Amino acid sequence: MSRCWNGSPSANAASSRISWPGGLGWNQLGELAQRFYADHGELTWPQLLDRLARAEQGLIELVSAHDDTELYGAATVHHHTAG
């Protein structure tokens, strides 16, 4: 099972599209950054670092739960592999 950008499970990665927050597209990354600044502006630097560390650990656990065949064996989204 793969996961979307926000950690929610994606039941069928082969037919799912890449999910961007707020309905923004890949060419609207500046707007996405501004949204993140607005949404998380009240957090302190240590709180942001803690969130980053937890997100990194979650990614490590997600990738570690799959073998190379699952990660790189077949295309899942367009022509990209899951890994």
Side-chain angles (χ1 to χ4, degrees), residues 1-4 7-14 62-63 65-66 70-71 76 82:
M1 178 181 302
S2 67
R3 297 202 173 265
C4 294
S8 63
S10 172
N12 187 354
L62 178 66
V63 171
H66 301 284
E70 291 173 307
L71 292 172
T76 58

Side-chain angles (χ1 to χ4, degrees), residues 7 10 19 24 34 40 43 62 68 74-75:
S10 172
S19 175
L24 298 173
Q34 292 304 313
H40 305 293
L43 296 174
L62 178 66
D68 283 350

Side-chain angles (χ1 to χ4, degrees), residues 3-34:
R3 297 202 173 265
C4 294
W5 71 271
N6 62 357
S8 63
S10 172
N12 187 354
S15 64
S16 67
R17 296 180 52 127
I18 296 173
S19 175
W20 291 88
L24 298 173
W26 67 269
N27 61 346
Q28 296 172 303
L29 297 180
E31 292 175 48
L32 179 59
Q34 292 304 313

Side-chain angles (χ1 to χ4, degrees), residues 28-75:
Q28 296 172 303
L29 297 180
E31 292 175 48
L32 179 59
Q34 292 304 313
R35 179 176 161 194
F36 286 149
Y37 289 133
D39 289 350
H40 305 293
E42 77 286 351
L43 296 174
T44 65
W45 183 245
Q47 289 172 317
L48 291 169
L49 289 175
D50 180 60
R51 285 187 176 203
L52 177 61
R54 285 187 283 138
E56 178 186 28
Q57 186 59 38
L59 286 172
I60 290 168
E61 290 171 7
L62 178 66
V63 171
S64 297
H66 301 284
D67 62 26
D68 283 350
T69 302
E70 291 173 307
L71 292 172
Y72 306 108

